[in-house]
Amino acid sequence: MKNELAEKDIKFSVNYTPSKIYIENEKQLDELINDVTKHFEAQIFSDSNIPEAKDARAQLNKYIKILEDRRKEIKKDFKQPLDDFEKVMKGYVNRLGVLSEKINLSVKDYEEEQKAIRLEKIQWEMAKLAEQFNVEANVIEVHSNWLTKASFTAKGEVRPKVIDEIKDKIKIIAMKRERVAADKATITDYAEIAGLDPYAWANMIDQGWSVADIREKIKAAVEEKRVRMLEVERKRAAEAEYEAAMKEHERSNAVETNTGLIDPETGEIIENSSSTNNNMSPTESYEENQELITATLQLTGTVEQMQALNNYIVKNGIQVVPVE
């Protein structure tokens, strides 16, 4: 509601007379300043008359002080009415300003309340539309222009234009989710066919990778895996070949006995004749041999090695005959 009294009375007049400041004897003062200036400009000061120079400086500073003091005095008197006027006017402005700020806070509170009401209505429309597309409403960003008064009808309802904008946003989110799900399914199948863990590869879709780029990385990973497997197989084959060569070398230098092959240097049994039939005991294997072989050996080894050899001979029923 308008305040007619305030509109009428706020118009006011200020009566003031612009003052003119002038020097009554300005002509004489100007002549005096000219005389003083000429007097001191005509003098020459040097090392020989320093005292006179100091006196001249003191006299000039005295004139300057007289002029400045009078100027400040006039200025203060001249400004006093203006200062008084400004003080009164600023007091009025401050009083009205305090009241204006109080009203401004009330307006802001009202606008925030209306904005909260509009936000609640927008969120209700978002939830209703999101349910149709199987999308969570909280993932939709609320645009600030949806909360303006212009986005609502006179009855406080959300305008159809805004509802269409919300629907378009939800459709975009739903389509993006469908595309992401389809891309993940594609990558999952591709990774499983390649023999890789599909979970990590499919998650790259969420990181912004395209299906084509992920496929290229899967191909590179498969090739790298194939190269590693070939290297492992090569190493295994080389190790097996080395072990076979070492065994062949041991066999070529071994001494054959009725129980198997023995390393002549260490006394270690390289190959047990009973190993050809794992289901038979050493005694049974010995008894089924059609031919017994007798070998005379001179063995050299440590005490531990000889004890181990003796235990083996006794365990396997090998006949030992002392040789004189």
Side-chain angles (χ1 to χ4, degrees):
M1 182 178 70
K2 294 184 178 180
N3 189 334
E4 297 179 357
L5 179 63
E7 288 184 351
K8 178 180 178 181
D9 293 346
I10 201 67
K11 298 176 182 179
F12 63 97
S13 299
V14 177
N15 295 321
Y16 71 98
T17 302
S19 300
K20 180 179 179 181
I21 302 176
Y22 60 93
I23 302 173
E24 293 181 353
N25 58 340
E26 183 176 357
K27 183 177 179 181
Q28 291 83 350
L29 178 62
D30 184 67
E31 291 177 353
L32 175 62
I33 296 300
N34 288 335
D35 292 342
V36 172
T37 301
K38 290 179 181 178
H39 172 74
F40 287 106
E41 284 181 345
Q43 297 186 30
I44 299 175
F45 298 102
S46 63
D47 295 342
S48 61
N49 58 351
I50 292 299
E52 289 80 357
K54 290 182 178 180
D55 291 339
R57 183 184 63 183
Q59 187 65 33
L60 289 172
N61 289 338
K62 180 180 178 181
Y63 292 153
I64 291 172
K65 185 176 186 304
I66 293 172
L67 293 172
E68 280 293 297
D69 288 347
R70 187 56 177 160
R71 179 187 66 79
K72 293 176 181 178
E73 181 181 355
I74 297 300
K75 180 180 179 181
K76 180 179 179 181
D77 293 340
F78 189 82
K79 281 188 61 182
Q80 189 61 48
L82 177 61
D83 291 342
D84 294 341
F85 173 74
E86 286 189 339
K87 183 178 180 180
V88 172
M89 296 303 294
K90 286 181 179 180
Y92 293 149
V93 170
N94 290 337
R95 287 170 59 185
L96 296 178
V98 170
L99 180 59
S100 175
E101 181 60 24
K102 182 178 179 180
I103 296 173
N104 181 50
L105 293 176
S106 299
V107 171
K108 285 185 176 180
D109 291 341
Y110 171 78
E111 290 177 347
E112 289 297 326
E113 290 175 359
Q114 293 300 310
K115 185 177 179 180
I117 293 173
R118 291 194 288 268
L119 175 61
E120 184 177 355
K121 292 182 178 181
I122 289 291
Q123 289 175 336
W124 185 83
E125 293 290 347
M126 290 169 56
K128 184 172 62 175
L129 293 171
E131 186 177 359
Q132 298 177 11
F133 294 90
N134 195 26
V135 174
E136 300 83 5
N138 59 1
V139 301
I140 307 168
E141 180 183 0
V142 178
H143 287 203
S144 58
N145 61 325
W146 294 350
L147 302 178
T148 61
K149 186 177 180 180
S151 297
F152 290 78
T153 65
K155 295 182 179 180
E157 301 299 328
V158 183
R159 292 189 181 276
K161 179 183 177 181
V162 176
I163 293 177
D164 290 339
E165 291 179 4
I166 296 173
K167 185 183 295 184
D168 290 340
K169 293 289 183 183
I170 295 175
K171 285 182 179 179
I172 292 174
I173 294 174
M175 291 173 60
K176 181 179 179 181
R177 287 189 174 184
E178 291 177 359
R179 178 185 60 78
V180 169
D183 289 348
K184 284 187 174 182
T186 300
I187 293 301
T188 297
D189 293 341
Y190 198 77
E192 288 178 347
I193 293 173
L196 301 176
D197 179 16
Y199 180 78
W201 293 100
N203 281 344
M204 292 180 68
I205 295 294
D206 294 329
Q207 300 172 14
W209 290 82
S210 66
V211 172
D213 290 340
I214 298 175
R215 279 183 173 180
E216 291 301 319
K217 284 191 167 292
I218 289 177
K219 289 179 182 179
V222 170
E223 177 61 19
E224 183 180 352
K225 181 180 179 181
R226 186 185 68 82
V227 172
R228 288 200 307 268
M229 293 299 296
L230 288 176
E231 181 64 18
V232 171
E233 292 297 329
R234 187 191 65 78
K235 289 183 178 180
R236 287 179 179 175
E239 291 174 357
E241 183 179 353
Y242 174 78
E243 291 179 0
M246 292 300 297
K247 287 182 178 180
E248 183 62 28
H249 176 72
E250 292 175 352
R251 288 176 60 87
S252 63
N253 295 329
V255 176
E256 185 176 357
T257 66
N258 57 350
T259 58
L261 299 178
I262 298 176
D263 189 326
E265 295 181 357
T266 64
E268 180 184 0
I269 299 175
I270 299 175
E271 181 178 321
N272 194 336
S273 60
S274 61
S275 62
T276 57
N277 189 349
N278 293 330
N279 295 327
M280 300 175 62
S281 65
T283 304
E284 292 173 340
S285 177
Y286 169 80
E287 292 176 350
E288 289 186 4
N289 286 336
Q290 296 181 357
E291 181 181 357
L292 296 177
I293 299 174
T294 301
T296 301
L297 303 175
Q298 181 178 345
L299 305 176
T300 302
T302 64
V303 175
E304 291 79 5
Q305 291 173 334
M306 291 300 182
Q307 288 177 348
L309 178 59
N310 182 69
N311 293 336
Y312 179 83
I313 291 173
V314 173
K315 180 179 178 181
N316 289 276
I318 300 174
Q319 297 181 9
V320 177
V321 179
V323 178
E324 295 294 340

